[in-house]
Amino acid sequence: MAKDFNPEHKEGPVATAIEEQTAKLPSDIFLWASLASMGASLGLKIAGHKHTALFVGQWAAPFLLLGIYNKLVKLEGHDKEDDE
C-alpha cells in the first residue's frame, strides 16, 4: 500500500532533532513512568495528600501519549518515504 508523499510538507529541524533523540528511548520507559505515576498518586492519596495525588495521577495519560509518539517515530520516522 503506497502512501502519498508530498515533498513540500517536511518536518522542521526542531521536530527532526526531537525525533532522533526520542527514537533512542525504549518505548516501555513511558509505560513504566505511567504506572509509577499511578502508584505514586495512590500512595499520596493514602497519605492524605488529595490535591497532590490528583496532580501526579494526571501524569499517566501524557506519559502514555509520549509512548505512542515514541513508537510512531520508531516505526515511521520523520519524512519517511515508502520505496514501493
Side-chain angles (χ1 to χ4, degrees), residues 3-65:
K3 292 183 181 179
D4 294 330
F5 180 73
N6 188 347
E8 296 174 9
H9 298 115
K10 292 188 174 189
E11 293 292 343
V14 174
T16 301
I18 290 170
E19 289 178 3
E20 288 174 1
Q21 295 304 314
T22 57
K24 295 176 184 176
L25 296 172
S27 297
D28 61 344
I29 283 179
F30 298 103
L31 176 62
W32 289 112
S34 178
L35 292 172
S37 72
M38 288 187 265
S41 176
L42 177 62
L44 287 165
K45 181 75 172 178
I46 292 170
H49 300 285
K50 179 181 177 182
H51 295 292
T52 306
L54 291 172
F55 176 68
V56 173
Q58 291 177 354
W59 297 352
F63 282 136
L64 291 173
L65 287 171

